[in-house]
Amino acid sequence: MIHVAIIGAGNISSAHIRAYQAFPDRCKVVAIVDIQPGKAAASAASHGLDAEALESYEALLGRDDIGLVSICTPPFTHAELAEAMLRDGKHVLVEKPMAASLAECDRMIRAAQESGKVLSVVAQNRFRDPIMQLKQLLDDGKIGRVVHAQVDSYWWRGHCYYDLWWRGLWAKEGGGPTLNHAVHHIDMLGWMMGLPAKVSAMLSNAAHDNAEVEDISVAALQYPGGAMAQVTSSVIHHGEEQQIVFQGERARISAPWKVYASRSLDNGFPERNSDLEAELELDRAGLQTLEHTGHKGQIDDVLTAIETGREPLVTGESGRMTLELITAIYKAGFEERTVELPIAADDPCYTAEGIVARAPRFYAKTAAVQELGAGLDITTGSDYRS
């Protein structure tokens, strides 16, 4: 039985708690930590947990009865908390984004390596059938080499979203939707295509004049071999219609699912290849579905990694790769030029301090409320089925 502590009792912590509760024979949430008095206790009560309510993460240190910690706090705290827990002999699952900088990611990875403990970064959309199937079909290679990818990370957030005390500040939130929303889709892109060689980008704040950070970015990526990708990260798109599309040499496939295959006529114009489309449809129909999806799927994977000694699907290294691509988008937008990857340790944007110093302040943050619509529903992205 793995005893679990949750650090941070905000909205996303509920997804972790409900996922752990789905595996009562394997784990138990025994402690919740939040710096706001009464918040941890309220969370425990609302989820029917017999768990300690604590106000400081230091209260977890030195306790060998806790084996796994979920970190559900703002991004600027992730590295300090993860490092402390790993070096205290605890496994760690940290919410996205992994950290506020590549330097912090490297500290976390080093702590995991030296402690021998599991470090996983939340990327729950990998654990959805349409995304897992898309990955498997790409790996199968029937669509040919990918020549273009399109990522539409479209979200919508109201003006008051950035009134929460830590949001909308480069030094606290670490960025806008490129870091905190599109991280899901950028993780998928990196998982399926790896890192590009070059990145160009533009950043803007079009609708949230109470935030320093961008509310939209548009990036162009070039890969070794000539393939390209476009990534739009936004919190100004009504309907939150999200998709990831891969154009291969022989066919296009996407999530939500759509397939279209072309072959060339003698004059170079296209003819629909219905046979290949039917083959891809048949391949997709034959793929296994996941027993657990979303946060539940990822927590099942992390528990299995701890129980068996294997790596989790989403490692610290893969979380770092996602942040490296996001950092490249920011650097390209800040400097208004094309940047090359990888980002070196002596690059100013390698550290959070360097990013904060170079980031544009689109607007001054005008509010800092402690709570924002507590108990109301939040959206966590598409199910990629329609």
CSV table of all heavy atoms in Angstrom, one decimal, residues 3-30:
chain,number,residue,atom,x,y,z
A,3,HIS,N,1.3,5.1,0.5
A,3,HIS,CA,0.7,6.3,1.2
A,3,HIS,C,1.1,7.5,0.4
A,3,HIS,O,2.3,7.7,0.1
A,3,HIS,CB,1.1,6.3,2.7
A,3,HIS,CG,0.4,5.3,3.5
A,3,HIS,ND1,0.6,5.2,4.9
A,3,HIS,CD2,-0.4,4.3,3.2
A,3,HIS,CE1,-0.1,4.3,5.4
A,3,HIS,NE2,-0.7,3.7,4.4
A,4,VAL,N,0.1,8.4,0.2
A,4,VAL,CA,0.2,9.5,-0.7
A,4,VAL,C,0.0,10.8,0.1
A,4,VAL,O,-1.0,10.9,0.9
A,4,VAL,CB,-0.7,9.4,-1.9
A,4,VAL,CG1,-0.6,10.6,-2.8
A,4,VAL,CG2,-0.5,8.1,-2.7
A,5,ALA,N,0.8,11.8,-0.2
A,5,ALA,CA,0.5,13.2,0.3
A,5,ALA,C,0.2,14.1,-0.9
A,5,ALA,O,0.9,13.9,-2.0
A,5,ALA,CB,1.6,13.7,1.1
A,6,ILE,N,-0.7,15.0,-0.8
A,6,ILE,CA,-1.0,16.0,-1.8
A,6,ILE,C,-0.5,17.4,-1.3
A,6,ILE,O,-0.9,17.8,-0.2
A,6,ILE,CB,-2.5,16.1,-2.1
A,6,ILE,CG1,-3.1,14.7,-2.3
A,6,ILE,CG2,-2.8,17.1,-3.2
A,6,ILE,CD1,-2.8,14.1,-3.6
A,7,ILE,N,0.3,18.1,-2.1
A,7,ILE,CA,0.7,19.4,-1.7
A,7,ILE,C,0.0,20.4,-2.7
A,7,ILE,O,0.2,20.4,-3.9
A,7,ILE,CB,2.2,19.6,-1.9
A,7,ILE,CG1,3.0,18.6,-1.0
A,7,ILE,CG2,2.6,21.0,-1.4
A,7,ILE,CD1,4.5,18.7,-1.1
A,8,GLY,N,-0.8,21.2,-2.1
A,8,GLY,CA,-1.7,22.1,-2.9
A,8,GLY,C,-3.1,21.6,-2.9
A,8,GLY,O,-3.3,20.5,-3.5
A,9,ALA,N,-4.0,22.4,-2.4
A,9,ALA,CA,-5.4,21.9,-2.4
A,9,ALA,C,-6.3,22.8,-3.3
A,9,ALA,O,-7.5,22.9,-3.1
A,9,ALA,CB,-6.0,22.0,-1.0
A,10,GLY,N,-5.7,23.3,-4.4
A,10,GLY,CA,-6.5,24.0,-5.4
A,10,GLY,C,-7.3,23.1,-6.3
A,10,GLY,O,-7.4,21.9,-6.1
A,11,ASN,N,-7.8,23.7,-7.4
A,11,ASN,CA,-8.7,23.0,-8.3
A,11,ASN,C,-8.2,21.7,-8.8
A,11,ASN,O,-8.8,20.7,-8.8
A,11,ASN,CB,-9.1,23.9,-9.4
A,11,ASN,CG,-10.1,25.0,-9.1
A,11,ASN,OD1,-10.9,24.8,-8.2
A,11,ASN,ND2,-10.0,26.1,-9.7
A,12,ILE,N,-6.9,21.7,-9.3
A,12,ILE,CA,-6.4,20.5,-10.0
A,12,ILE,C,-6.1,19.4,-9.0
A,12,ILE,O,-6.1,18.2,-9.4
A,12,ILE,CB,-5.1,20.9,-10.8
A,12,ILE,CG1,-4.9,19.8,-11.8
A,12,ILE,CG2,-3.9,21.0,-9.8
A,12,ILE,CD1,-6.0,19.7,-12.9
A,13,SER,N,-6.0,19.7,-7.7
A,13,SER,CA,-5.7,18.6,-6.7
A,13,SER,C,-6.9,17.6,-6.7
A,13,SER,O,-6.7,16.4,-6.4
A,13,SER,CB,-5.5,19.2,-5.3
A,13,SER,OG,-6.6,19.8,-4.8
A,14,SER,N,-8.1,18.1,-6.9
A,14,SER,CA,-9.2,17.2,-6.9
A,14,SER,C,-9.1,16.0,-7.9
A,14,SER,O,-9.5,14.9,-7.7
A,14,SER,CB,-10.5,17.9,-7.2
A,14,SER,OG,-10.8,18.8,-6.1
A,15,ALA,N,-8.5,16.4,-9.1
A,15,ALA,CA,-8.3,15.3,-10.1
A,15,ALA,C,-7.3,14.3,-9.6
A,15,ALA,O,-7.5,13.1,-9.9
A,15,ALA,CB,-7.8,16.0,-11.4
A,16,HIS,N,-6.3,14.7,-8.9
A,16,HIS,CA,-5.4,13.7,-8.3
A,16,HIS,C,-6.0,12.9,-7.3
A,16,HIS,O,-5.9,11.7,-7.3
A,16,HIS,CB,-4.2,14.5,-7.7
A,16,HIS,CG,-3.3,15.1,-8.7
A,16,HIS,ND1,-1.9,14.7,-8.8
A,16,HIS,CD2,-3.4,16.0,-9.6
A,16,HIS,CE1,-1.3,15.4,-9.8
A,16,HIS,NE2,-2.2,16.2,-10.3
A,17,ILE,N,-6.8,13.5,-6.4
A,17,ILE,CA,-7.4,12.8,-5.3
A,17,ILE,C,-8.4,11.8,-5.8
A,17,ILE,O,-8.4,10.6,-5.4
A,17,ILE,CB,-8.1,13.8,-4.3
A,17,ILE,CG1,-7.0,14.6,-3.6
A,17,ILE,CG2,-8.9,13.0,-3.3
A,17,ILE,CD1,-7.6,15.8,-2.8
A,18,ARG,N,-9.2,12.2,-6.7
A,18,ARG,CA,-10.2,11.2,-7.3
A,18,ARG,C,-9.5,10.1,-8.0
A,18,ARG,O,-10.0,8.9,-7.9
A,18,ARG,CB,-11.2,11.9,-8.2
A,18,ARG,CG,-12.1,12.9,-7.6
A,18,ARG,CD,-13.2,13.3,-8.5
A,18,ARG,NE,-12.7,14.1,-9.6
A,18,ARG,CZ,-12.6,15.4,-9.7
A,18,ARG,NH1,-13.0,16.1,-8.6
A,18,ARG,NH2,-12.1,16.0,-10.7
A,19,ALA,N,-8.4,10.3,-8.6
A,19,ALA,CA,-7.7,9.3,-9.3
A,19,ALA,C,-7.1,8.3,-8.3
A,19,ALA,O,-7.1,7.1,-8.5
A,19,ALA,CB,-6.6,9.9,-10.2
A,20,TYR,N,-6.5,8.8,-7.2
A,20,TYR,CA,-5.9,7.9,-6.2
A,20,TYR,C,-7.0,7.1,-5.6
A,20,TYR,O,-6.9,5.9,-5.3
A,20,TYR,CB,-5.2,8.7,-5.1
A,20,TYR,CG,-3.9,9.3,-5.6
A,20,TYR,CD1,-3.6,10.6,-5.6
A,20,TYR,CD2,-2.8,8.4,-6.0
A,20,TYR,CE1,-2.4,11.2,-5.9
A,20,TYR,CE2,-1.6,8.9,-6.4
A,20,TYR,CZ,-1.4,10.3,-6.4
A,20,TYR,OH,-0.2,10.8,-6.8
A,21,GLN,N,-8.2,7.7,-5.4
A,21,GLN,CA,-9.3,7.0,-4.8
A,21,GLN,C,-9.8,5.8,-5.6
A,21,GLN,O,-10.5,4.9,-5.2
A,21,GLN,CB,-10.5,7.9,-4.5
A,21,GLN,CG,-10.2,8.9,-3.3
A,21,GLN,CD,-11.3,9.9,-3.1
A,21,GLN,OE1,-11.8,10.5,-4.0
A,21,GLN,NE2,-11.6,10.1,-1.8
A,22,ALA,N,-9.5,5.9,-6.9
A,22,ALA,CA,-9.9,4.8,-7.8
A,22,ALA,C,-9.1,3.5,-7.6
A,22,ALA,O,-9.4,2.4,-8.2
A,22,ALA,CB,-9.8,5.2,-9.3
A,23,PHE,N,-8.0,3.6,-6.8
A,23,PHE,CA,-7.1,2.4,-6.6
A,23,PHE,C,-7.0,2.2,-5.1
A,23,PHE,O,-5.9,2.2,-4.5
A,23,PHE,CB,-5.8,2.7,-7.2
A,23,PHE,CG,-5.8,3.0,-8.7
A,23,PHE,CD1,-5.7,4.3,-9.1
A,23,PHE,CD2,-6.1,2.0,-9.6
A,23,PHE,CE1,-5.8,4.6,-10.5
A,23,PHE,CE2,-6.2,2.3,-11.0
A,23,PHE,CZ,-6.0,3.6,-11.4
A,24,PRO,N,-8.1,1.9,-4.4
A,24,PRO,CA,-8.0,1.8,-2.9
A,24,PRO,C,-7.2,0.6,-2.4
A,24,PRO,O,-6.7,0.6,-1.2
A,24,PRO,CB,-9.5,1.6,-2.5
A,24,PRO,CG,-10.1,1.0,-3.8
A,24,PRO,CD,-9.4,1.6,-4.9
A,25,ASP,N,-6.9,-0.4,-3.2
A,25,ASP,CA,-6.1,-1.5,-2.8
A,25,ASP,C,-4.6,-1.3,-3.0
A,25,ASP,O,-3.8,-2.1,-2.6
A,25,ASP,CB,-6.5,-2.8,-3.6
A,25,ASP,CG,-7.9,-3.2,-3.3
A,25,ASP,OD1,-8.4,-2.9,-2.2
A,25,ASP,OD2,-8.5,-3.8,-4.2
A,26,ARG,N,-4.3,-0.1,-3.7
A,26,ARG,CA,-2.9,0.1,-4.0
A,26,ARG,C,-2.3,1.4,-3.3
A,26,ARG,O,-1.1,1.5,-3.1
A,26,ARG,CB,-2.7,0.3,-5.5
A,26,ARG,CG,-3.2,-0.9,-6.3
A,26,ARG,CD,-3.3,-0.6,-7.8
A,26,ARG,NE,-2.0,-0.4,-8.4
A,26,ARG,CZ,-1.9,0.1,-9.6
A,26,ARG,NH1,-2.9,0.4,-10.3
A,26,ARG,NH2,-0.6,0.3,-10.1
A,27,CYS,N,-3.2,2.3,-3.0
A,27,CYS,CA,-2.7,3.6,-2.4
A,27,CYS,C,-3.8,4.2,-1.5
A,27,CYS,O,-5.0,3.9,-1.6
A,27,CYS,CB,-2.3,4.5,-3.5
A,27,CYS,SG,-3.7,5.0,-4.6
A,28,LYS,N,-3.3,5.2,-0.7
A,28,LYS,CA,-4.2,5.9,0.2
A,28,LYS,C,-3.7,7.3,0.4
A,28,LYS,O,-2.5,7.4,0.7
A,28,LYS,CB,-4.4,5.1,1.5
A,28,LYS,CG,-5.3,5.8,2.5
A,28,LYS,CD,-5.3,5.1,3.8
A,28,LYS,CE,-6.3,5.7,4.8
A,28,LYS,NZ,-6.3,5.0,6.1
A,29,VAL,N,-4.5,8.3,0.2
A,29,VAL,CA,-4.1,9.7,0.5
A,29,VAL,C,-4.2,9.9,2.0
A,29,VAL,O,-5.3,9.8,2.6
A,29,VAL,CB,-5.0,10.7,-0.2
A,29,VAL,CG1,-4.6,12.1,0.2
A,29,VAL,CG2,-4.9,10.5,-1.7
A,30,VAL,N,-3.1,10.1,2.6
A,30,VAL,CA,-3.0,10.2,4.1
A,30,VAL,C,-2.7,11.7,4.6
A,30,VAL,O,-2.8,11.9,5.8
A,30,VAL,CB,-1.9,9.3,4.7
A,30,VAL,CG1,-2.3,7.8,4.3
A,30,VAL,CG2,-0.5,9.6,4.2
